[in-house]
Amino acid sequence: MKKILFLLMFVLICSGIVMAQTGLKKKRPLAADYGNVVLNNFSEKAGFSPVVFQHWVHRVRFTCRLCHVDIGFAMKAGATGIKANDNMSGYYCGTCHDGKRKFKGVDKMFAACSKKLTAEDGKRCERCHSLGKNVKREYDFAEVTAEFPKERLGNGIDWEEAEEKGFVKPIDFIEGVSIKRPALTIQKDFSLNAKVEGMPSIIFSHKKHTVWNGCEVCHPEIFIGVKKGSTKYSMVEIFDGKYCGVCHGKVAFPSLDCQRCHLDPVQG
Amino acid sequence: MAGLLIRHAREERRVKPFRTSGKSVRNTLGIITIALSMLAGMPVLSNAMTPTAAAAAVQDQDDWKKEFEDICSRTGDSLSLSSGELKVLVDRCDALKPRIEKLDGTQKKVYLNRLQKCRDLLAFVLESMAGK
């Protein structure tokens, strides 16, 4: 009995020490894994591993707007409800992954999903249906992003600077899918006062956001207020995945990187 | 005189029965042909599309897509449009929606979503103009 009690105490003390070190926080993902989305509406039911969608390999080539507006992917994992039939019909992933489409540096995009499965198709399926599998990726994150401007958090890449300096030239138009439209009217930057005294105000740049998102990604689905100052944003809500937090903390740089947004010097 | 005419007619019918029935058969066939042609033109009674109806369906498909592209190509410069123009575009979105709802499967889902995004943005810009 004494031995059992002693063992129990020992286990409890050790657990306490471990938790004190790591806490209950979510583990920070590796730079290459930041922005990965797991999709499992139908995969396991159909006998496949869930899909691991890598945002980084797609944002190197395409704008957020192209996928989330023109192709129609929802902003929340699993909300689109993609099925193999959709892909085979040329929608969603199948818009590009049709076995035919060419992009710069890619002779032929691999086809997503097939009606009949051969042994070779199995390998192709695993390119996407890869959760829990040790799949060798075609594009290595470190190699592709070696020359990109670096940042502290998220993917460790300053995507904004990468786009500005031409390291990435995201495509915003796909023939047969996108609509030809005139150039976007860019709005001026504006500042938002921080609630906490002593905290620099936020300088929000429409230009930096519209390069990737256009207007429709954010308005009105994420930012519904039409008048500046009508909506009060709190960091609690942002960290909870609302407003800026829809993207920042999931795909775009995390909101933990305060000085990326809180740029306006505090007036003395 | 009348009796003579009637008797002559009866004799004609007896002597030349086939000639008379052949003409009536041709006439009957002609009427049936015309009737069938008219019925074939009615979409309710024809399951298979005639070439004209198929072409019309394709035309309709091209039309809704052209309308969609025409409306949603304006989202980029929506800030430079007047409230009247924005209102017209929003109304056009509402008018287009039932046509897209008639489509099948994934195409319907994708384009309804795109139209909704387009409409919501135009309505948002319109509302922000009204608020100023």
Side-chain angles (χ1 to χ4, degrees):
Chain A
M1 188 65 182
K2 275 188 182 172
K3 274 186 186 172
I4 292 167
L5 275 171
F6 176 76
L7 201 60
L8 193 65
M9 287 291 293
F10 179 74
V11 166
L12 280 170
I13 289 165
C14 287
S15 307
I17 292 167
V18 166
M19 274 174 57
Q21 300 300 316
T22 60
L24 290 170
K25 289 182 218 170
K26 263 201 257 184
K27 210 176 161 183
R28 202 165 116 183
L30 296 171
D33 294 337
Y34 183 79
N36 284 1
V37 175
V38 174
L39 306 170
N40 192 20
N41 285 349
F42 310 108
S43 300
E44 278 185 330
K45 287 174 202 167
F48 291 88
S49 295
V51 168
V52 177
F53 173 80
Q54 294 183 298
H55 259 108
W56 78 264
V57 89
H58 291 81
R59 72 176 302 184
V60 162
R61 293 187 184 281
F62 309 106
T63 63
C64 314
R65 197 203 66 79
L66 180 65
C67 296
H68 288 287
V69 177
D70 290 354
I71 298 177
F73 290 110
M75 292 295 283
K76 203 176 165 187
T80 316
I82 306 160
K83 292 182 179 175
N85 273 335
D86 298 335
N87 292 337
M88 286 189 277
S89 306
Y91 294 101
Y92 301 128
C93 314
T95 307
C96 299
H97 290 282
D98 58 359
K100 292 174 275 184
R101 208 177 272 277
K102 291 179 188 181
F103 292 104
K104 190 180 172 187
V106 179
D107 285 333
K108 200 168 72 168
M109 294 292 277
F110 71 88
C113 309
S114 303
K115 280 188 180 163
K116 289 178 188 175
L117 286 176
T118 62
E120 211 171 272
D121 286 330
K123 283 182 194 167
R124 186 159 50 87
C125 297
E126 280 185 359
R127 289 185 74 162
C128 303
H129 291 274
S130 60
L131 187 69
K133 296 189 179 207
N134 191 13
V135 174
K136 191 178 183 306
R137 297 288 179 192
E138 187 170 341
Y139 300 102
D140 180 67
F141 176 80
E143 267 177 41
V144 170
T145 62
E147 304 298 317
F148 287 13
K150 299 290 186 278
E151 249 301 341
R152 292 188 307 156
L153 301 173
N155 285 126
I157 304 297
D158 189 334
W159 290 103
E160 179 205 314
E161 196 177 324
E163 188 277 327
E164 250 176 65
K165 292 188 175 171
F167 288 96
V168 298
K169 288 171 188 160
I171 297 165
D172 195 43
F173 181 91
I174 289 185
E175 194 65 50
V177 176
S178 305
I179 303 169
K180 283 194 173 88
R181 55 188 86 200
L184 207 57
T185 317
I186 307 293
Q187 284 212 296
K188 289 182 190 169
D189 296 356
F190 60 88
S191 76
L192 293 161
N193 294 330
K195 282 181 189 172
V196 174
E197 203 178 313
M199 191 73 179
S201 296
I202 298 117
I203 304 285
F204 177 79
S205 168
H206 258 117
K207 186 183 173 192
K208 290 176 185 177
H209 287 80
T210 53
V211 155
W212 294 96
N213 300 321
C215 307
E216 296 102 312
V217 170
C218 302
H219 296 294
E221 194 178 327
I222 302 171
F223 295 98
I224 200 166
V226 294
K227 208 172 164 187
K228 189 190 152 190
S230 61
T231 310
K232 304 291 176 197
Y233 308 110
S234 75
M235 287 311 300
V236 171
E237 287 171 313
I238 290 169
F239 282 127
D240 201 31
K242 276 182 160 181
Y243 308 122
C244 318
V246 170
C247 304
H248 288 279
K250 297 194 181 80
V251 179
F253 66 81
S255 308
L256 287 170
D257 210 349
C258 310
Q259 64 260 35
R260 295 289 297 270
C261 306
H262 289 270
L263 295 165
D264 204 7
V266 178
Q267 303 299 317
Chain B
M1 188 66 183
L4 271 170
L5 280 170
I6 290 167
R7 208 181 338 158
H8 176 74
R10 279 178 185 164
E11 276 172 13
E12 280 278 326
R13 271 207 299 276
R14 267 205 306 269
V15 168
K16 303 166 192 176
F18 294 104
R19 247 174 63 183
T20 312
S21 62
K23 194 176 175 183
S24 70
V25 164
R26 275 200 300 274
N27 286 344
T28 309
L29 280 172
I31 292 164
I32 290 167
T33 308
I34 291 165
L36 281 173
S37 306
M38 285 170 70
L39 287 171
M42 286 172 65
V44 172
L45 293 175
S46 64
N47 290 329
M49 274 206 257
T50 62
T52 318
V58 168
Q59 177 74 18
D60 187 51
Q61 186 170 25
D62 288 344
D63 282 346
W64 76 255
K65 214 161 183 187
K66 277 181 189 159
E67 174 70 351
F68 169 79
E69 287 175 2
D70 192 50
I71 301 166
C72 298
S73 65
R74 306 307 306 275
T75 53
D77 62 347
S78 54
L79 291 170
S80 60
L81 299 174
S82 68
S83 53
E85 286 169 321
L86 286 165
K87 183 79 180 59
V88 165
L89 288 172
V90 169
D91 290 343
R92 281 170 72 186
C93 286
D94 293 337
L96 181 59
K97 191 174 174 183
R99 290 170 72 185
I100 296 180
E101 279 171 344
K102 285 180 188 169
L103 300 172
D104 293 324
T106 319
Q107 190 182 39
K108 172 181 163 182
K109 186 177 158 189
V110 168
Y111 278 93
L112 274 179
N113 178 41
R114 286 181 74 174
L115 183 71
Q116 192 62 46
K117 276 195 154 63
C118 170
R119 189 221 182 266
D120 287 349
L121 177 73
L122 293 167
F124 172 82
V125 175
L126 178 64
E127 202 184 323
S128 68
M129 276 184 182
K132 278 181 184 172

